[in-house]
């Protein structure tokens, strides 16, 4: 059972004058990645093939991720009526795929796989919270709040299964930490960058990872505030087995905030070198 449905969103409350044009390309790109959740469920069910409880949960999870894509896609179609969600997603599907033929987790263990999933859900939960708080457009606010609540539930889902496997596999703290940091670093790989390309750039322009990740991150990073990183760091700490609200978590969150500001500015500089006239979100 899903917690909400796309039809329940108050689409008629859409206010075009309150749309920040810098948020539209992000919503379009996020719709691609979310809509692609079905493939990840196939992969997860192969990795956990003798675990019916988890397999059922993975199917349910993917249904919610796909719905996130559809809700974001529908909002982006309202904000930009000329945009074709289905065609953009088709391009994404044709050009990007994860390896679903795995018999074991690419993270080296089931515990590692579940920690990596916790990191992804931490990222999405923080991101949609940040977008919901940043936008003044009421429908996008509603969509992002609903999605952020789902992402937090997903974190808890993967965390609970992770604890079960941790008791069995006894993955060392160092390995848990390595998986978590590894997955954080992957956020700047092709998955999002190529989604940005398919959702926002014409077919005449060849894909460039550097251009597209700058297009995505230069905008997205501008919507975060320190409180989002504090909360996210607490979730990461919890996932690797550290005290989520302790002093170390606060220090790490402050460091992450400084790193984010530095990365954001670097991406923005890259963006302005590519297109000097392109407007960007207000600096935090
Ligand atoms: Fe999602
Ligand atoms: Fe999720």
């Amino acid at each position: 059972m899903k917690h909400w449905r796309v039809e329940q969103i108050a689409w008629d409350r859409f206010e075009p004058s309150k749309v920040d044009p810098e948020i539209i390309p992000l919503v379009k790109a996020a719709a691609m990645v979310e809509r692609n959740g079905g493939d990840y469920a196939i992969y997860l069910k192969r990795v956990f093939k003798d675990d019916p409880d988890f397999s059922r949960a993975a199917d349910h999870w993917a249904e919610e991720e796909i719905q996130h894509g559809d809700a974001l896609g529908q909002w982006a179609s309202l904000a930009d009526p000329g945009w074709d969600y289905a065609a953009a997603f088709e391009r994404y599907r044709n050009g990007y795929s994860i390896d679903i033929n795995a018999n074991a987790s690419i993270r080296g263990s089931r515990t590692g796989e579940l920690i990596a999933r916790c990191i992804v859900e931490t990222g999405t939960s923080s991101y949609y919270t940040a977008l919901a708080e940043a936008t003044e457009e009421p429908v996008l606010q509603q969509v992002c709040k609903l999605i952020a609540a789902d992402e937090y539930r997903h974190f808890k889902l993967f965390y609970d299964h992770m604890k079960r496997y941790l008791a069995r596999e006894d993955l060392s703290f160092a390995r848990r930490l390595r998986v978590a940091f590894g997955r954080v670093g992957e956020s700047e790989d092709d998955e999002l960058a190529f989604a940005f390309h398919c959702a926002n750039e014409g077919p005449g322009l060849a894909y460039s990872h550097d251009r597209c990740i700058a297009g995505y991150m230069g905008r997205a990073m501008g919507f975060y505030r320190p409180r989002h990183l504090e909360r996210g760091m607490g979730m990461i700490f919890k996932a690797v087995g550290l005290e989520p609200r302790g002093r170390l978590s606060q220090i790490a969150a402050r460091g992450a905030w400084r790193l984010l500001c530095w990365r954001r500015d670097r991406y923005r500089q890259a963006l302005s070198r590519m297109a000097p006239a392109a407007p960007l979100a207000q600096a935090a």
Side-chain angles (χ1 to χ4, degrees):
M1 277 283 284
K2 287 186 266 200
H3 290 84
W4 53 277
R5 298 193 164 274
V6 173
E7 309 84 76
Q8 291 166 345
I9 291 166
W11 297 106
D12 57 340
R13 290 180 57 217
F14 180 68
E15 290 188 48
S17 63
K18 294 196 171 161
V19 175
D20 174 354
E22 287 300 298
I23 232 171
I24 302 173
L26 299 177
V27 173
K28 289 177 178 174
M32 306 289 101
V33 177
E34 297 277 356
R35 183 73 180 73
N36 212 21
D39 268 3
Y40 218 95
I42 297 172
Y43 160 79
L44 285 175
K45 286 197 293 182
R46 290 195 176 154
V47 172
F48 292 85
K49 55 183 174 300
D50 56 357
D51 184 340
D53 273 0
F54 182 78
S55 295
R56 255 192 310 278
D59 272 335
H60 176 75
W61 163 82
E63 248 183 79
E64 295 194 337
E65 298 298 4
I66 291 166
Q67 174 164 279
H68 296 171
D70 289 343
L72 294 164
Q74 192 160 331
W75 183 85
S77 305
L78 279 178
D80 176 3
W83 187 63
D84 187 339
Y85 168 50
F89 184 64
E90 176 82 13
R91 271 180 84 197
Y92 186 61
R93 286 284 298 173
N94 291 336
Y96 179 84
S97 57
I98 63 159
D99 182 9
I100 55 171
N101 293 314
N103 287 314
S105 169
I106 55 165
R107 310 288 164 190
S109 64
R110 292 184 177 186
T111 308
E113 180 63 46
L114 293 165
I115 289 173
R117 298 317 308 166
C118 285
I119 300 303
V120 173
E121 303 296 348
T122 298
T124 52
S125 155
S126 311
Y127 183 49
Y128 292 112
T129 302
L131 287 188
E133 290 175 11
T135 186
E136 287 176 10
E137 200 295 301
V139 180
L140 186 61
Q141 259 175 21
Q142 188 191 7
V143 167
C144 288
K145 278 186 194 164
L146 287 168
I147 296 180
D150 280 352
E151 309 296 21
Y152 188 66
R153 274 192 294 273
H154 294 164
F155 173 89
K156 289 203 284 192
L157 166 80
F158 290 124
Y159 177 80
D160 289 344
H161 284 280
M162 186 275 289
K163 292 291 275 186
R164 191 159 61 83
Y165 277 100
L166 183 61
R168 199 184 298 180
E169 294 179 332
D170 199 22
L171 200 67
S172 73
F173 174 68
R175 292 184 84 93
R176 282 179 271 158
L177 206 59
R178 199 180 321 151
V179 169
F181 273 102
R183 188 58 189 86
V184 170
E186 286 170 30
S187 60
E188 299 186 13
D189 285 359
D190 281 324
E191 188 177 40
L192 266 172
F194 189 65
F196 185 86
H197 171 67
C198 296
N200 294 293
E201 299 183 333
L205 189 59
Y207 171 60
S208 146
H209 172 268
D210 289 357
R211 183 187 67 239
C212 294
I213 201 69
Y216 191 87
M217 292 297 176
R219 291 174 173 84
M221 288 176 164
F223 291 105
Y224 286 97
R225 297 295 174 267
R227 62 180 177 275
H228 304 125
L229 276 86
E230 280 161 26
R231 187 170 161 276
M233 193 57 76
M235 290 165 77
I236 294 176
F237 267 48
K238 189 174 162 81
V240 298
L242 288 169
E243 167 56 44
R245 274 174 286 275
R247 179 111 185 90
L248 192 59
S249 174
Q250 282 174 11
I251 294 168
R254 275 203 290 276
W257 171 249
R258 277 201 291 273
L259 182 65
L260 179 135
C261 292
W262 178 73
R263 304 280 297 159
R264 176 197 68 204
D265 293 345
R266 293 255 313 221
Y267 281 129
R268 286 176 170 178
Q269 285 159 13
L271 267 180
S272 58
R273 279 196 302 275
M274 290 170 206
L280 265 183
Q282 285 279 296

